[in-house]
């Protein structure tokens, strides 16, 4: 190894340590997700795979000379700004991706265009360190449920679908988050990307193999869910549950992987002993050079300015009342909260939460839930995975969306015991009220970037479905009596 290589790698090591120290919360959050979430346990294998991919290329890389390169500063600026947006909007995916992109960019910045080209796939593969995929759970649940219904129809088993609940003459089945197949899908995509790089030279073949790694797991998961229902219908429910866990968790996944690799084997067009890169070709790659001091100074400015602004916003005072009480609503009286089935929305680590029941002269009843945050941060968000009317450890699940009032979201939720309720949700941040998750995230982003009010409030109005009685008239009547949701939310946050 030349002195230039030793100096460049020493600089890179120091920069990586500095970045991981500066963004330690995001690094620790990612590592915690890899270790604690079974959906992302495969990420623990990505780090040794990255080491092996780099080691494969080491003999050829040693023939090149590293030198600082200007263009990656653009990549790092995008990464740093993306991290700031993610931090401001409370989007962990953007923060995690921003950190990974900063690590990637520092490699390219300090080692230059030729070395970067040689490390292009390992650098790309670093994106699989970012925990992603849970955003697809609701869609995958729906796809799995619809596939089950289609297969049940083919086999002549009578069934009825209600959102993610499938009722057969034997039992009522719920396509839960764990049954969505997202674990299988994200792991297969990571494996598919690795195999596509190692075993294929042709881009059409790589694309076809990646498509198979996306489509086949979805189909396989639908077949697994159908098999569970089929066995339960013709046999024992307890056996079906154990079959679903053991066969899918320990055998089925491995069988599908083996079948996908076996199907792709005849089309592999890259020799097993083919070199990963060729130094003579990489040496021809050029780019605008930088002096090391200029590269390091520019990188420090790009990273520290957004981080400093985020720190300032996080330390800015954003008080809420020490205590809040259920509001008085004209025409409605507070009554004991005795639901047919326990229900409590999930808004983690809110400063205040209230839940109460109201009844009017027409004997209509509604439940009002209020959550107040002094500010939003990681794990303390109005909108996020596991938050909302059917979030947390609740046995309530989303069934379908329904017609919503202005600036609200309406959803119908239910339990396996066929309890149903409609929920109308309002979220208010920095003067914006909406039921749209994207709008709430944007309002949160603007509040943090432009130094606005950080207080955030969720107001949920819900009514149980009793028999065939429609729950919406009670909700509509209650909302009409409240008149101004914005004023109520601001009063709860201490902003009126």
């Amino acid at each position: 190894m030349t002195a230039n290589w030793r100096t460049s790698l020493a600089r890179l090591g120091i920069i990586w340590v500095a970045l991981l120290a500066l963004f330690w919360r995001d690094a620790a959050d990612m590592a915690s997700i890899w270790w604690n979430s079974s959906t992302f346990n495969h990420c623990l294998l990505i780090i040794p795979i990255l080491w092996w991919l780099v080691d494969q290329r080491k003999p050829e890389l040693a023939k090149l000379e590293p030198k600082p390169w200007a263009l990656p500063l653009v990549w790092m600026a995008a990464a740093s700004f993306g991290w700031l947006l993610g931090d401001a909007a409370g989007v962990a995916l953007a923060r995690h991706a921003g950190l990974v992109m900063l690590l990637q960019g520092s490699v390219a910045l300090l080692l230059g265009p030729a070395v970067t080209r040689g490390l292009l796939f390992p650098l790309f593969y670093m994106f699989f360190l970012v925990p992603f995929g849970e955003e697809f759970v609701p869609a995958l649940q729906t796809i799995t449920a619809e596939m089950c219904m289609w297969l049940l129809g083919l086999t002549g088993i009578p069934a009825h679908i209600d959102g993610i609940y499938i009722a057969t003459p034997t039992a009522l089945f719920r396509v839960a988050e764990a049954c969505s197949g997202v674990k299988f899908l994200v792991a297969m995509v990571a494996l598919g990307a690795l195999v596509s790089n190692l075993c294929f030279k042709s881009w059409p073949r790589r694309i076809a193999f990646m498509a198979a790694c996306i489509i086949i797991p979805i189909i396989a998961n639908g077949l697994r869910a159908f098999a569970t229902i089929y066995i339960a219908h013709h046999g024992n429910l307890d056996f079906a549950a154990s079959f679903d866990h053991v066969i899918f968790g320990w055998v089925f996944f491995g069988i599908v992987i083996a079948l996908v690799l076996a199907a792709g084997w005849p089309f592999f067009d890259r020799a097993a002993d083919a070199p990963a890169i060729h130094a003579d070709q990489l040496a021809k790659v050029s780019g605008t050079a930088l002096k090391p001091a200029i590269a390091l100074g520019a990188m420090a400015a790009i990273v520290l300015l957004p981080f400093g602004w985020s720190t300032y916003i996080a330390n800015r005072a954003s008080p809420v009342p020490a205590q809040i009480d259920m509001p008085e609503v004209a025409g409605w009286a507070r009554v004991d909260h005795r639901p047919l089935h326990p229900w409590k929305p999930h808004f983690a680590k809110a400063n205040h939460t209230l839940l109460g029941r109201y009844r009017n002269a027409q004997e209509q009843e509604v439940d009002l839930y209020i959550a107040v945050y002094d500010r939003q941060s990681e794990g303390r968000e109005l909108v996020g995975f596991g938050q909302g009317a059917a979030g947390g450890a609740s046995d309530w699940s989303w069934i379908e969306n329904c017609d919503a009032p202005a600036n609200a979201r309406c959803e119908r939720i239910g339990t396996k015991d066929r309890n149903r309720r409609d929920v109308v949700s309002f979220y208010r941040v920095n003067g914006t009220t909406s039921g749209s998750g994207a709008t709430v995230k944007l309002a949160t982003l603007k509040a943090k970037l432009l130094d606005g009010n950080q207080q955030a409030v969720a107001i949920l109005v819900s009514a149980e479905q009793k028999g065939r009685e429609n729950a919406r008239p009670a909700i509509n009547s209650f909302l009409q009596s409240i008149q101004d949701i914005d004023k109520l939310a601001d009063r709860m946050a201490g902003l009126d």
Side-chain angles (χ1 to χ4, degrees), residues 109-407:
L109 177 70
L110 296 177
L111 301 186
V115 176
T116 300
R117 182 63 185 85
L119 292 172
L120 197 58
F121 180 73
L123 289 172
F124 159 77
Y125 205 65
M126 285 178 67
F127 277 120
F128 286 102
L129 293 171
V130 179
F132 72 94
E134 288 185 335
E135 301 80 8
F136 307 126
V137 166
L140 291 173
Q141 285 177 283
T142 301
I143 291 172
T144 301
E146 294 291 346
M147 284 185 61
C148 287
M149 286 298 296
W150 181 71
L151 292 169
L152 289 169
L154 289 181
T155 55
I157 297 176
H160 171 74
I161 188 169
D162 188 4
I164 59 172
Y165 290 94
I166 297 176
T168 71
T170 305
L172 180 69
F173 300 90
R174 176 188 175 216
V175 182
E177 290 84 351
C179 302
S180 67
V182 68
K183 302 178 186 179
F184 192 7
L185 179 61
V186 296
M188 277 295 291
V189 170
L191 175 64
L194 182 63
V195 173
S196 295
N197 175 260
L198 295 175
C199 303
F200 296 100
K201 294 188 298 184
S202 164
W203 274 102
R205 294 188 183 196
R206 286 175 171 174
I207 293 171
F209 188 78
M210 284 302 301
C213 288
I214 295 172
I215 296 170
I216 291 176
I218 295 175
I219 294 175
N221 186 63
L223 292 172
R224 175 206 60 81
F226 161 73
T228 302
I229 297 175
Y230 185 87
I231 292 172
H233 181 75
H234 290 285
N236 183 278
L237 285 172
D238 293 335
F239 173 76
S242 61
F243 170 88
D244 178 48
H245 175 73
V246 175
I247 297 300
F248 183 61
W250 299 102
V251 180
F252 191 71
F253 188 18
I255 291 173
V256 173
I257 289 176
L259 290 176
V260 171
L261 292 176
W265 188 293
F267 302 98
F268 290 176
D269 58 0
R270 182 174 180 176
D273 58 351
I277 56 174
H278 298 278
D280 54 342
Q281 296 176 4
L282 296 175
K284 301 174 184 178
V285 180
S286 61
T288 304
L290 278 181
K291 292 183 178 180
I294 295 176
L296 294 173
M299 179 174 59
I302 285 171
V303 171
L304 292 176
L305 286 174
F307 184 83
W309 180 253
S310 172
T311 302
Y312 162 74
I313 293 298
N315 292 324
R316 180 175 173 268
S318 180
V320 294
Q323 180 178 339
I324 61 174
D325 298 305
M326 295 296 289
E328 297 293 329
V329 180
W332 295 77
R334 288 285 309 281
V335 295
D336 290 340
H337 184 245
R338 295 179 179 176
L340 298 175
H341 187 84
W343 172 74
K344 184 178 182 180
H346 183 72
F347 288 88
K349 301 179 182 178
N351 294 79
H352 300 293
T353 60
L354 298 173
L355 175 61
R357 175 160 291 193
Y358 292 78
R359 181 187 298 145
N360 65 7
Q362 289 73 42
E363 297 299 314
Q364 293 176 320
E365 292 186 350
V366 298
D367 295 322
L368 174 64
Y369 178 88
I370 299 173
V372 178
Y373 290 90
D374 60 347
R375 65 177 69 247
Q376 298 180 76
S377 59
E378 178 64 27
R380 302 182 70 239
E381 301 147 339
L382 282 186
V383 178
F385 186 78
Q387 298 281 76
S394 167
D395 56 355
W396 291 87
S397 298
W398 174 88
I399 293 178
E400 61 184 350
N401 291 331
C402 39
D403 293 335
N407 302 323

